[in-house]
Amino acid sequence: MPAPISERKLANAIRVLSFDAVQKANSGHPGAPMGMADIAEVLWRKFLKHNPADPKWHNRDRFVLSNGHGSMLIYSLLHLSGYDVSVDDLKGFRQLHSKTPGHPELGYTPGVETTTGPLGQGIANAVGFAIAEKTLAAQFNRDGHNVVDHHTYAFLGDGCLMEGISHEVCSLAGTLGLGKLVFFYDDNGISIDGNVEGWFTDDTEARFESYGWQVIKVDGHDTDAITQATEQAIAETTKPSLIICKTTIGAGSPNKQGLAASHGAPLGDDEIALTRDALSWKHAPFELDDEIYEAWDAKAKGDVQQKNWDADFEAYKKAYPELAAELSRRLNGELPADFASQAQAYIQQTQEAGGDVASRKASQNAINSLQPLLPELLGGSADLAGSNLTLFKGAKGIEKDADGNYIYYGVREFGMTAIANGIALHGGFIPYVATFLMFMEYARNAVRMGALMKQRIIHVYTHDSIGLGEDGPTHQPVEQLTSLRTTPNLRTWRPCDATESASAWVEAIKSENNPSALIFSRQSLPHQARDSEQVANITKGGYVLAKEQGELQAIIIATGSEVGLAMEAYETLSANGVGVRVVSMPCAEIFVEQEASYRASVLPANIRARVAVEAAHVDYWYKFVGLDGKVIGMTTYGESAPASDLYKEFGITTDAVVEAVNSLV
């Protein structure tokens, strides 16, 4: 019988595949995969619960490569373990439409759980996975039936820990006692600019201990030490664990290991030849012994693990059939069968009830009505819950030793949003998060990442304009709506009253492959009269709210709080014989997706006299009014004063709309 293959040789398979792929692409980051190969070999071969034949098995462990620039590490692991990632896929690294893009991308590669690359956000996604696992387990597990039971593991580097988001989310993870969360820190002391001692001298051990984490320090190339540390991390169930692994970047390269030269560039043919010799690696590029594949193959083990879980779930179904059906529905991302009809009834009731109300309050009313229909709604706010009005009846905060259905994120806008991305990716929940619209800027890149990954996340943003008043320009958003609306795959709603607010919530919940931003006012907004067809047309993003009297001469387009102002102008203009209509456009992105015939029925091409009014930056609206139309809105920052004074100061008034229309007719 041949001697068992050494763990170092199995780790070296990661090293050679990684530097060969980077060299072939003439682009990439070989240093991290080479430095973390020993850690990866231990975790993936000894501990990770997964099934390469079914990458979406619900009870799998989650693995996140937060230092996503080292993507050849995860691609090598997936290939070696038996996922549908071939040698040809590795050879196609960083090429167009390949399964192996420059950074791990959700949907491109089986086994990749989240898109990573912007440093630190993978850490936050992992915290989201762990929160989702803990909360889902509390809701569905019963004595003797742990059907939700997995760990979340993440690799991270110096850059991830330098990013401020790492503080936000790791602090919260410690507070919540996420005992099934295990991080491996690649402590190699190198970033692109060189040795990090010149700019990163934090005491990482003390930092994480202060967060309430278990911290373990090991030699990142000692497989026995890594094994023992991982066992210790898994055994600690009341705290998340950070395993600080002291490693050498580019380990194995005679002339580039330990240097920034191995971080973000190919090693070069000459250095690769020397590295092969140093590793005693005799094979040609991308060639491996069968014994290496046999030792790495995780399919048989994963099949057993999944079949064992399947048997456990069958027993659970017999003992708790209703819970099992509900868990399956939620994990499959399905809405309740009667949700659409009940949600539509709520929208109609809201229209019939009428009444002036701030749209942030209308939003809370919607949450209170929809949450009992959807227990998977997992809300939270970056502080400000009393201002955002995101708490619902029966909301209970998740705590270290207490189960709940609401997350008090604290003042952590960026961390909150990236955690929500992880919660959505995990499955079983539809997360919504909230802050003032102005502070969306703190979270901007995480909003983008959710849109890039096509996740169903609901961003609630209140205090949407100069209408918030006395807090002044630091809190008054101007350019933020344009920023959100120009984000691909994101749907931005700015409703004008309670009915549009209810519709926005329902559409956001139904939107399986698009995150949504719901923009709400601080100030009270007037209720608008509508017939049933108009109520239905809200879902088309834009519709005729007030039809012209006589021949159509001009169109006013408005959103949110300015719809009421547009309606006042409509009354004045109509009384003066001007044939004007008002178009409410709560979601422009959905409107432009409608059939051309519908869009033309709302905005006829021959009517060039168009005025858009919104208390935000004017530039966005020229796509709808044309260069010969007019836009009433903001071109500067706001001021500190009561809202009514500010609208007059910046010329966002009924008289201004009337004057603009008259000048075009």
mmCIF file of all heavy atoms in Angstrom, residues 18-50:
data_model
loop_
_atom_site.group_PDB
_atom_site.id
_atom_site.type_symbol
_atom_site.label_atom_id
_atom_site.label_comp_id
_atom_site.label_asym_id
_atom_site.label_seq_id
_atom_site.Cartn_x
_atom_site.Cartn_y
_atom_site.Cartn_z
ATOM 1 N N SER A 18 -2.718 27.869 -8.527
ATOM 2 C CA SER A 18 -2.928 29.318 -8.413
ATOM 3 C C SER A 18 -1.896 30.096 -9.209
ATOM 4 O O SER A 18 -2.234 30.988 -9.995
ATOM 5 C CB SER A 18 -2.902 29.731 -6.937
ATOM 6 O OG SER A 18 -3.963 29.133 -6.221
ATOM 7 N N PHE A 19 -0.618 29.776 -9.031
ATOM 8 C CA PHE A 19 0.355 30.590 -9.763
ATOM 9 C C PHE A 19 0.368 30.260 -11.253
ATOM 10 O O PHE A 19 0.675 31.124 -12.076
ATOM 11 C CB PHE A 19 1.749 30.563 -9.128
ATOM 12 C CG PHE A 19 2.514 29.265 -9.092
ATOM 13 C CD1 PHE A 19 2.872 28.589 -10.252
ATOM 14 C CD2 PHE A 19 2.947 28.749 -7.871
ATOM 15 C CE1 PHE A 19 3.621 27.414 -10.213
ATOM 16 C CE2 PHE A 19 3.692 27.570 -7.816
ATOM 17 C CZ PHE A 19 4.022 26.898 -8.999
ATOM 18 N N ASP A 20 -0.009 29.019 -11.628
ATOM 19 C CA ASP A 20 -0.106 28.702 -13.054
ATOM 20 C C ASP A 20 -1.235 29.489 -13.725
ATOM 21 O O ASP A 20 -1.077 30.009 -14.832
ATOM 22 C CB ASP A 20 -0.346 27.202 -13.247
ATOM 23 C CG ASP A 20 0.925 26.368 -13.116
ATOM 24 O OD1 ASP A 20 2.031 26.950 -13.221
ATOM 25 O OD2 ASP A 20 0.814 25.144 -12.908
ATOM 26 N N ALA A 21 -2.385 29.577 -13.046
ATOM 27 C CA ALA A 21 -3.528 30.290 -13.623
ATOM 28 C C ALA A 21 -3.243 31.785 -13.730
ATOM 29 O O ALA A 21 -3.572 32.427 -14.737
ATOM 30 C CB ALA A 21 -4.778 30.045 -12.787
ATOM 31 N N VAL A 22 -2.635 32.348 -12.699
ATOM 32 C CA VAL A 22 -2.288 33.769 -12.732
ATOM 33 C C VAL A 22 -1.279 34.037 -13.842
ATOM 34 O O VAL A 22 -1.382 35.032 -14.579
ATOM 35 C CB VAL A 22 -1.733 34.223 -11.366
ATOM 36 C CG1 VAL A 22 -1.158 35.628 -11.457
ATOM 37 C CG2 VAL A 22 -2.830 34.163 -10.306
ATOM 38 N N GLN A 23 -0.316 33.148 -13.988
ATOM 39 C CA GLN A 23 0.690 33.338 -15.033
ATOM 40 C C GLN A 23 0.061 33.257 -16.421
ATOM 41 O O GLN A 23 0.370 34.061 -17.307
ATOM 42 C CB GLN A 23 1.792 32.277 -14.901
ATOM 43 C CG GLN A 23 2.990 32.499 -15.814
ATOM 44 C CD GLN A 23 3.753 33.764 -15.462
ATOM 45 O OE1 GLN A 23 3.795 34.163 -14.300
ATOM 46 N NE2 GLN A 23 4.322 34.414 -16.464
ATOM 47 N N LYS A 24 -0.842 32.291 -16.635
ATOM 48 C CA LYS A 24 -1.482 32.158 -17.939
ATOM 49 C C LYS A 24 -2.320 33.383 -18.272
ATOM 50 O O LYS A 24 -2.342 33.852 -19.418
ATOM 51 C CB LYS A 24 -2.364 30.905 -17.985
ATOM 52 C CG LYS A 24 -2.916 30.599 -19.380
ATOM 53 C CD LYS A 24 -3.685 29.296 -19.402
ATOM 54 C CE LYS A 24 -4.037 28.911 -20.838
ATOM 55 N NZ LYS A 24 -4.788 29.953 -21.564
ATOM 56 N N ALA A 25 -2.994 33.907 -17.267
ATOM 57 C CA ALA A 25 -3.815 35.104 -17.482
ATOM 58 C C ALA A 25 -2.966 36.363 -17.585
ATOM 59 O O ALA A 25 -3.443 37.398 -18.061
ATOM 60 C CB ALA A 25 -4.820 35.260 -16.349
ATOM 61 N N ASN A 26 -1.725 36.261 -17.096
ATOM 62 C CA ASN A 26 -0.843 37.424 -16.975
ATOM 63 C C ASN A 26 -1.498 38.511 -16.139
ATOM 64 O O ASN A 26 -1.352 39.701 -16.392
ATOM 65 C CB ASN A 26 -0.454 37.979 -18.366
ATOM 66 C CG ASN A 26 0.744 38.919 -18.293
ATOM 67 O OD1 ASN A 26 1.602 38.785 -17.422
ATOM 68 N ND2 ASN A 26 0.783 39.889 -19.188
ATOM 69 N N SER A 27 -2.241 38.059 -15.124
ATOM 70 C CA SER A 27 -2.973 38.987 -14.274
ATOM 71 C C SER A 27 -3.487 38.230 -13.056
ATOM 72 O O SER A 27 -3.934 37.090 -13.184
ATOM 73 C CB SER A 27 -4.153 39.591 -15.050
ATOM 74 O OG SER A 27 -4.958 40.397 -14.231
ATOM 75 N N GLY A 28 -3.430 38.866 -11.896
ATOM 76 C CA GLY A 28 -3.991 38.235 -10.717
ATOM 77 C C GLY A 28 -3.095 38.344 -9.502
ATOM 78 O O GLY A 28 -2.088 39.063 -9.508
ATOM 79 N N HIS A 29 -3.467 37.615 -8.452
ATOM 80 C CA HIS A 29 -2.817 37.723 -7.147
ATOM 81 C C HIS A 29 -2.422 36.329 -6.655
ATOM 82 O O HIS A 29 -3.230 35.644 -6.024
ATOM 83 C CB HIS A 29 -3.761 38.378 -6.137
ATOM 84 C CG HIS A 29 -4.191 39.759 -6.517
ATOM 85 N ND1 HIS A 29 -5.090 40.002 -7.527
ATOM 86 C CD2 HIS A 29 -3.840 40.974 -6.009
ATOM 87 C CE1 HIS A 29 -5.284 41.309 -7.632
ATOM 88 N NE2 HIS A 29 -4.539 41.912 -6.729
ATOM 89 N N PRO A 30 -1.205 35.910 -6.903
ATOM 90 C CA PRO A 30 -0.800 34.567 -6.455
ATOM 91 C C PRO A 30 -0.418 34.493 -4.984
ATOM 92 O O PRO A 30 -0.449 33.418 -4.387
ATOM 93 C CB PRO A 30 0.410 34.273 -7.344
ATOM 94 C CG PRO A 30 1.011 35.627 -7.609
ATOM 95 C CD PRO A 30 -0.161 36.576 -7.697
ATOM 96 N N GLY A 31 -0.041 35.623 -4.367
ATOM 97 C CA GLY A 31 0.543 35.594 -3.028
ATOM 98 C C GLY A 31 -0.369 35.041 -1.960
ATOM 99 O O GLY A 31 0.042 34.194 -1.154
ATOM 100 N N ALA A 32 -1.624 35.495 -1.903
ATOM 101 C CA ALA A 32 -2.554 35.028 -0.870
ATOM 102 C C ALA A 32 -2.882 33.548 -1.016
ATOM 103 O O ALA A 32 -2.860 32.811 -0.015
ATOM 104 C CB ALA A 32 -3.819 35.876 -0.877
ATOM 105 N N PRO A 33 -3.211 33.047 -2.212
ATOM 106 C CA PRO A 33 -3.455 31.603 -2.320
ATOM 107 C C PRO A 33 -2.256 30.762 -1.898
ATOM 108 O O PRO A 33 -2.428 29.716 -1.257
ATOM 109 C CB PRO A 33 -3.764 31.415 -3.814
ATOM 110 C CG PRO A 33 -4.262 32.732 -4.277
ATOM 111 C CD PRO A 33 -3.507 33.745 -3.480
ATOM 112 N N MET A 34 -1.058 31.202 -2.225
ATOM 113 C CA MET A 34 0.134 30.441 -1.846
ATOM 114 C C MET A 34 0.355 30.505 -0.335
ATOM 115 O O MET A 34 0.723 29.519 0.296
ATOM 116 C CB MET A 34 1.349 30.978 -2.596
ATOM 117 C CG MET A 34 1.262 30.767 -4.111
ATOM 118 S SD MET A 34 2.602 31.581 -5.007
ATOM 119 C CE MET A 34 3.994 30.540 -4.542
ATOM 120 N N GLY A 35 0.100 31.669 0.252
ATOM 121 C CA GLY A 35 0.299 31.824 1.687
ATOM 122 C C GLY A 35 -0.745 31.133 2.530
ATOM 123 O O GLY A 35 -0.465 30.675 3.640
ATOM 124 N N MET A 36 -1.976 31.037 2.029
ATOM 125 C CA MET A 36 -3.071 30.448 2.804
ATOM 126 C C MET A 36 -3.353 28.997 2.440
ATOM 127 O O MET A 36 -4.319 28.402 2.940
ATOM 128 C CB MET A 36 -4.352 31.276 2.624
ATOM 129 C CG MET A 36 -4.270 32.698 3.129
ATOM 130 S SD MET A 36 -5.907 33.470 3.311
ATOM 131 C CE MET A 36 -6.477 32.737 4.848
ATOM 132 N N ALA A 37 -2.543 28.410 1.582
ATOM 133 C CA ALA A 37 -2.816 27.058 1.090
ATOM 134 C C ALA A 37 -2.897 26.037 2.215
ATOM 135 O O ALA A 37 -3.762 25.147 2.215
ATOM 136 C CB ALA A 37 -1.756 26.654 0.070
ATOM 137 N N ASP A 38 -2.017 26.140 3.212
ATOM 138 C CA ASP A 38 -2.031 25.166 4.313
ATOM 139 C C ASP A 38 -3.289 25.318 5.163
ATOM 140 O O ASP A 38 -3.884 24.324 5.597
ATOM 141 C CB ASP A 38 -0.779 25.339 5.178
ATOM 142 C CG ASP A 38 0.500 25.114 4.389
ATOM 143 O OD1 ASP A 38 0.667 24.025 3.823
ATOM 144 O OD2 ASP A 38 1.323 26.045 4.324
ATOM 145 N N ILE A 39 -3.699 26.569 5.401
ATOM 146 C CA ILE A 39 -4.934 26.810 6.163
ATOM 147 C C ILE A 39 -6.133 26.250 5.410
ATOM 148 O O ILE A 39 -7.006 25.575 5.977
ATOM 149 C CB ILE A 39 -5.126 28.322 6.399
ATOM 150 C CG1 ILE A 39 -3.880 28.941 7.042
ATOM 151 C CG2 ILE A 39 -6.361 28.585 7.246
ATOM 152 C CD1 ILE A 39 -3.860 30.457 6.993
ATOM 153 N N ALA A 40 -6.173 26.508 4.104
ATOM 154 C CA ALA A 40 -7.292 26.060 3.278
ATOM 155 C C ALA A 40 -7.375 24.545 3.230
ATOM 156 O O ALA A 40 -8.474 23.962 3.277
ATOM 157 C CB ALA A 40 -7.146 26.628 1.868
ATOM 158 N N GLU A 41 -6.226 23.896 3.141
ATOM 159 C CA GLU A 41 -6.211 22.424 3.089
ATOM 160 C C GLU A 41 -6.824 21.843 4.360
ATOM 161 O O GLU A 41 -7.630 20.906 4.301
ATOM 162 C CB GLU A 41 -4.775 21.932 2.882
ATOM 163 C CG GLU A 41 -4.655 20.424 2.693
ATOM 164 C CD GLU A 41 -4.515 19.653 4.002
ATOM 165 O OE1 GLU A 41 -3.971 20.223 4.975
ATOM 166 O OE2 GLU A 41 -4.982 18.495 4.067
ATOM 167 N N VAL A 42 -6.473 22.396 5.502
ATOM 168 C CA VAL A 42 -7.013 21.897 6.763
ATOM 169 C C VAL A 42 -8.518 22.132 6.841
ATOM 170 O O VAL A 42 -9.293 21.213 7.152
ATOM 171 C CB VAL A 42 -6.301 22.565 7.960
ATOM 172 C CG1 VAL A 42 -7.030 22.254 9.263
ATOM 173 C CG2 VAL A 42 -4.849 22.109 8.041
ATOM 174 N N LEU A 43 -8.960 23.340 6.572
ATOM 175 C CA LEU A 43 -10.383 23.659 6.717
ATOM 176 C C LEU A 43 -11.230 22.850 5.744
ATOM 177 O O LEU A 43 -12.232 22.235 6.136
ATOM 178 C CB LEU A 43 -10.622 25.157 6.498
ATOM 179 C CG LEU A 43 -12.095 25.581 6.513
ATOM 180 C CD1 LEU A 43 -12.720 25.324 7.876
ATOM 181 C CD2 LEU A 43 -12.238 27.054 6.135
ATOM 182 N N TRP A 44 -10.848 22.847 4.472
ATOM 183 C CA TRP A 44 -11.695 22.225 3.460
ATOM 184 C C TRP A 44 -11.668 20.701 3.513
ATOM 185 O O TRP A 44 -12.672 20.060 3.210
ATOM 186 C CB TRP A 44 -11.290 22.732 2.070
ATOM 187 C CG TRP A 44 -11.917 24.049 1.749
ATOM 188 C CD1 TRP A 44 -11.722 25.233 2.387
ATOM 189 C CD2 TRP A 44 -12.876 24.303 0.725
ATOM 190 N NE1 TRP A 44 -12.495 26.219 1.819
ATOM 191 C CE2 TRP A 44 -13.212 25.679 0.788
ATOM 192 C CE3 TRP A 44 -13.481 23.525 -0.261
ATOM 193 C CZ2 TRP A 44 -14.121 26.273 -0.080
ATOM 194 C CZ3 TRP A 44 -14.378 24.113 -1.138
ATOM 195 C CH2 TRP A 44 -14.695 25.474 -1.039
ATOM 196 N N ARG A 45 -10.576 20.111 3.902
ATOM 197 C CA ARG A 45 -10.512 18.648 3.899
ATOM 198 C C ARG A 45 -10.968 18.039 5.229
ATOM 199 O O ARG A 45 -11.486 16.925 5.258
ATOM 200 C CB ARG A 45 -9.096 18.169 3.569
ATOM 201 C CG ARG A 45 -8.684 18.428 2.125
ATOM 202 C CD ARG A 45 -7.362 17.752 1.769
ATOM 203 N NE ARG A 45 -7.471 16.300 1.858
ATOM 204 C CZ ARG A 45 -6.879 15.552 2.790
ATOM 205 N NH1 ARG A 45 -6.132 16.121 3.737
ATOM 206 N NH2 ARG A 45 -7.012 14.242 2.787
ATOM 207 N N LYS A 46 -10.813 18.774 6.332
ATOM 208 C CA LYS A 46 -11.106 18.183 7.640
ATOM 209 C C LYS A 46 -12.400 18.679 8.271
ATOM 210 O O LYS A 46 -13.000 17.965 9.090
ATOM 211 C CB LYS A 46 -9.944 18.459 8.602
ATOM 212 C CG LYS A 46 -8.636 17.798 8.203
ATOM 213 C CD LYS A 46 -7.557 18.081 9.241
ATOM 214 C CE LYS A 46 -6.235 17.427 8.862
ATOM 215 N NZ LYS A 46 -5.167 17.713 9.862
ATOM 216 N N PHE A 47 -12.816 19.882 7.931
ATOM 217 C CA PHE A 47 -13.908 20.478 8.710
ATOM 218 C C PHE A 47 -15.109 20.930 7.880
ATOM 219 O O PHE A 47 -16.240 20.827 8.359
ATOM 220 C CB PHE A 47 -13.376 21.680 9.509
ATOM 221 C CG PHE A 47 -12.365 21.310 10.540
ATOM 222 C CD1 PHE A 47 -11.005 21.471 10.300
ATOM 223 C CD2 PHE A 47 -12.759 20.778 11.763
ATOM 224 C CE1 PHE A 47 -10.069 21.127 11.254
ATOM 225 C CE2 PHE A 47 -11.825 20.424 12.730
ATOM 226 C CZ PHE A 47 -10.474 20.593 12.473
ATOM 227 N N LEU A 48 -14.902 21.444 6.708
ATOM 228 C CA LEU A 48 -15.993 22.074 5.963
ATOM 229 C C LEU A 48 -17.052 21.047 5.575
ATOM 230 O O LEU A 48 -16.751 20.015 4.976
ATOM 231 C CB LEU A 48 -15.447 22.755 4.710
ATOM 232 C CG LEU A 48 -16.406 23.735 4.023
ATOM 233 C CD1 LEU A 48 -16.614 24.979 4.887
ATOM 234 C CD2 LEU A 48 -15.876 24.138 2.645
ATOM 235 N N LYS A 49 -18.298 21.341 5.930
ATOM 236 C CA LYS A 49 -19.439 20.483 5.589
ATOM 237 C C LYS A 49 -20.065 21.016 4.311
ATOM 238 O O LYS A 49 -20.693 22.080 4.306
ATOM 239 C CB LYS A 49 -20.449 20.490 6.749
ATOM 240 C CG LYS A 49 -21.679 19.622 6.512
ATOM 241 C CD LYS A 49 -22.567 19.581 7.748
ATOM 242 C CE LYS A 49 -23.145 20.938 8.097
ATOM 243 N NZ LYS A 49 -24.067 20.894 9.251
ATOM 244 N N HIS A 50 -19.894 20.278 3.227
ATOM 245 C CA HIS A 50 -20.398 20.753 1.938
ATOM 246 C C HIS A 50 -20.513 19.570 0.996
ATOM 247 O O HIS A 50 -19.941 18.502 1.239
ATOM 248 C CB HIS A 50 -19.466 21.813 1.349
ATOM 249 C CG HIS A 50 -18.081 21.318 1.036
ATOM 250 N ND1 HIS A 50 -17.500 21.430 -0.208
ATOM 251 C CD2 HIS A 50 -17.150 20.700 1.807
ATOM 252 C CE1 HIS A 50 -16.282 20.911 -0.186
ATOM 253 N NE2 HIS A 50 -16.037 20.465 1.029
#
